[in-house]
Every structure is written in C-alpha cells, then in structure tokens.
Amino acid sequence: MVMNADEAKKKIDTLREELEQYRHEYHTLDAPSVPDYEYDQKMQELIELEEEFPDFQTADSPSQRVGGAPLDAFVKVQHDVPMLSLGNAFDDQELRDFDRRVRGGTDEDVSYVCELKIDGLAVSLRYEDGVFVRGATRGDGTTGEDITKNLRTIRNIPLRLKQPETLEVRGEAYMPKPSFNALNEAREERGDEPFANPRNAAAGSLRQLDPKIAAKRNLDIFLYGIGQWQDESSEAHSERLEQMEKLGLKTNPEWKKCNDIEEVIDYVHSWVEKRQDLDYEIDGIVIKVDRLDQQDTLGFTAKSPRWATAYKFPAEEAITTLKDIELSV
Ligand SMILES: NC(=O)c1cc2c(=O)c3cc(F)ccc3oc2nc1N
C-alpha cells in the first residue's frame, strides 16, 4: 500500500519501538514474547520502509545494527578518561594487605563491591543524549581503536538508552563458552586454526574489519563501570550498577556488596569452583571500594586505581594437574 511520509514516519517509529522491546526481551532478559519469525518479519518491514523513506533512516535504528562495508583499518581514538588496568592479588593475605592499604588511605569504614572478572576484551561505549555514538578498545589505556561498527552487532548493546543520558561506560565484551565451542568446531571442520580460548576469540572477532563477520560471532557484553557521566547522581559504585541496569545496560548479576574484607574473601572462595558452571569464562574477582568519594580520596597510581584490585584464580591447568595428582595417588 502507498503511504504518505507522515504515515510512514509513524509506522517506522512503531516498528522501532516493538523491535527494540523484542531485542531487550530476547537478549537481555532471555524471555522473548514473540516468535523469531515475527521479529524477522517486522525487521524486514522496517528495512523496506526506511529504504523507501531514507530521510527517516537514523543510526540508532534497529535496522542499522549490522551496517556498512568492511573498513580498511581501525581509526585511533583518545580516551578522555584513561582506561587503566587493575592491580592483582593472588591469595587471601594479599587481599588483606589491599584492605589495609585502603583503610590506611581513608578515615572511615570501607565497604566493597565484588564482581566476577569477565575474561574478554575491555571496551568503552559512549552515549550522547541516549544514542550509542562510539565504541573503542582499551588499547594502551590512553589510545584505543574505534570498533563502533563491530560493537553495534552485539545484541546486548542498546543503540538507544532508556533515558537520553550522555555518558561513557566501560565493560568487557566476551564470547560465551557455547559460542566459542561451536565456532571452534566450525573452524576445525574448515581446516582453520581454532581459537585458544574465548578471550582470544572475542578479541579476534572485534578486530575483524568486516562487521558482518563480527555479527556472526555471537558476542556478548557485561558493563561494569563509568568513564564519565554528565549530571551523575550516584554516590556509590553499587548505585551506578543499578542505574546502568535501569538505562538498559547489561551488568553482571553476580555482583555483591561486602561490608568488610572477610566477606570479600568468602565471596572469592565461593567462586573458585562455581565458575565452572558459568556459560562464560572468568579469570578472577574484581574488588572495588563502594563509596565514590572514598575512591576519589584513594585515587590512582600511574597505571592502576588504588581503590580496586583483582583477585586472580590459579590458572585452570594448575587445578587439573592437582586433580591428576590426587587421582594418581
Ligand atoms: N573484566 C572485568 O570483569 C572487570 C574489569 C575491570 C577493570 O579492568 C577495571 C580497571 C580500572 F582501572 C578500574 C576499574 C575496573 O573495573 C573492572 N571491573 C570488571 N568487572
């Protein structure tokens, strides 16, 4: 049927809202309310309408997730706020040392937030008035690579937030274990070299110059921090995580607020074994001072925050070896 521009605009807006809702249900809530064919049908309808009325085609449309020709190279981008790396702790004593240093640097009680340390690729996402405008790798912490087109293909990255906020969030893009296994099976069948681990597979996928390849790699993301946020109201990291979730940004559900380092140590121990049951790889636990004013007081060294550390699990092969020894006794 022939539509005039006003009817087309109204139809396009309706289709976008429906498709965005379906995306959120399917990918972030894992609870689709419509069958796939209905989603595909509406997407096709949107694509055709936007082709018929190109003035209404905007970058934040669900139809623009997998767009554009392959790039010749990645453009370098500067991080306004450096993306630093975490110091490490390898045992309980080092966690207690961290806690002592933190309490020595602040004059009040300190509570912590513990998060699973996702083993993927650190990325930063910039939103302006709620629209996803740029995504970048950490790079050397000051200069990263613009991988916006590839990040747009990650279904759990909203192209538009639930509120028109201007902020830059940080997170870990990763490849779930099932996607990793399927990808390696396909690669071996083709005679290609399999990826050594999901982190390499995620990094390799996001370094593809052709977004259509990245789109097929079933990548996912957990967001875990804020680089900068205009009009931010949060006073604690735990509040930030809740605010991010409300904006439609996917955070990892396993985070926990701990009132002291002993609770942190219990949480860390509980995940040494449990992590095998996750459908994504983690290589440790990140521990952060919760109050943002205390984070500011503690500040940074040249390369790491003083208010956070990463407890690293012993490498998997180490555990397997121990099991072998026990079994062989
Ligand atoms: N891989 C992760 O799951 C993860 C990584 C980091 C960081 O690398 C990180 C680096 C900083 F300088 C400050 C906070 C951070 O918080 C983080 N939180 C996480 N959950």
Side-chain angles (χ1 to χ4, degrees):
M1 84 198 137
V2 178
M3 273 190 211
N4 66 38
D6 286 351
E7 288 160 343
K9 181 75 174 74
K10 257 200 271 307
K11 183 68 180 162
I12 283 174
D13 288 346
T14 308
L15 285 168
R16 284 185 182 180
E17 275 163 33
E18 288 170 342
L19 287 162
E20 180 49 26
Q21 177 57 26
Y22 296 159
R23 177 204 65 80
H24 187 68
E25 289 165 357
Y26 185 94
H27 288 282
T28 306
L29 307 179
D30 199 15
S33 64
V34 297
D36 290 4
Y37 75 81
E38 187 166 334
Y39 178 91
D40 297 342
Q41 192 185 355
K42 285 185 185 279
M43 178 63 83
Q44 194 49 39
E45 198 180 342
L46 175 63
I47 289 170
E48 284 163 12
L49 262 178
E50 287 178 348
E51 277 163 3
E52 202 181 327
F53 295 86
D55 293 358
F56 298 147
Q57 186 183 86
T58 56
D60 65 323
S61 171
S63 66
Q64 301 306 304
R65 266 196 185 277
V66 185
L71 299 171
D72 297 329
F74 290 116
V75 171
K76 295 285 184 200
V77 291
Q78 296 299 319
H79 296 294
D80 300 348
V81 175
M83 287 182 77
L84 300 177
S85 48
L86 291 165
N88 293 328
F90 292 95
D91 58 33
D92 297 356
Q93 188 47 50
E94 290 187 12
L95 285 176
R96 292 193 175 95
D97 294 344
F98 166 71
D99 175 54
R100 193 176 310 108
R101 288 196 301 274
V102 162
R103 286 185 292 110
T106 60
D107 49 9
E108 294 155 78
D109 285 349
V110 172
S111 59
Y112 295 105
V113 170
C114 290
E115 298 170 15
L116 301 187
K117 188 170 182 297
I118 312 302
D119 195 6
L121 189 77
V123 295
S124 117
L125 309 179
R126 176 181 287 173
Y127 286 85
E128 285 169 3
D129 299 322
V131 176
F132 178 48
V133 294
R134 193 190 83 183
T137 61
R138 182 206 304 264
D140 64 8
T142 308
T143 307
E145 290 178 323
D146 185 326
I147 54 167
T148 306
K149 287 187 181 302
N150 284 344
L151 288 171
R152 293 172 67 89
T153 69
I154 297 182
R155 297 306 188 270
N156 270 323
I157 291 180
L159 299 182
R160 176 184 281 278
L161 299 175
K162 292 196 157 71
Q163 300 296 327
E165 296 285 339
T166 294
L167 75 166
E168 191 220 322
V169 290
R170 272 97 193 257
E172 199 84 0
Y174 68 93
M175 186 178 291
K177 291 176 191 169
S179 310
F180 170 70
N181 297 331
L183 175 65
N184 267 356
E185 262 170 53
R187 287 174 75 88
E188 280 165 337
E189 266 159 37
R190 277 199 314 266
D192 287 348
E193 188 68 22
F195 284 106
N197 54 54
R199 177 172 41 77
N200 289 6
S205 303
L206 286 170
R207 266 205 293 274
Q208 288 293 327
L209 290 166
D210 181 355
K212 288 181 183 51
I213 298 177
K216 294 194 180 76
R217 295 291 175 84
N218 297 316
L219 295 171
D220 205 332
I221 193 164
F222 286 118
L223 293 150
Y224 56 62
I226 299 286
Q228 49 193 15
W229 188 350
Q230 235 173 38
D231 336 318
E232 178 172 17
S233 60
S234 315
E235 291 178 356
H237 177 68
S238 46
E239 257 178 81
R240 274 180 169 174
L241 293 174
E242 288 159 352
Q243 291 298 321
M244 286 159 69
E245 195 67 31
K246 284 196 189 109
L247 288 174
L249 293 164
K250 185 181 170 195
T251 58
N252 185 279
E254 305 297 345
W255 67 268
K256 182 175 188 282
K257 187 164 169 186
C258 296
N259 294 318
D260 58 39
I261 200 66
E262 294 312 316
E263 263 190 66
V264 167
I265 290 172
D266 291 346
Y267 179 89
V268 164
H269 288 180
S270 77
W271 278 100
V272 173
E273 289 305 322
K274 250 192 317 185
R275 66 177 165 147
Q276 317 296 344
D277 309 334
L278 293 167
D279 76 356
Y280 48 87
E281 286 201 349
I282 64 172
D283 60 343
I285 301 292
V286 182
I287 298 112
K288 302 171 183 177
V289 168
D290 190 31
R291 272 176 45 189
L292 298 181
D293 60 333
Q294 291 179 327
Q295 288 189 8
D296 293 344
T297 305
L298 290 160
F300 296 85
T301 67
K303 60 183 180 54
S304 297
R306 287 198 187 87
W307 44 266
T309 192
Y311 177 90
K312 301 286 281 191
F313 292 134
E316 306 240 25
E317 47 279 4
I319 295 178
T320 318
T321 316
L322 279 176
K323 278 203 187 91
D324 292 349
I325 294 169
E326 280 153 27
L327 288 176
S328 63
V329 161

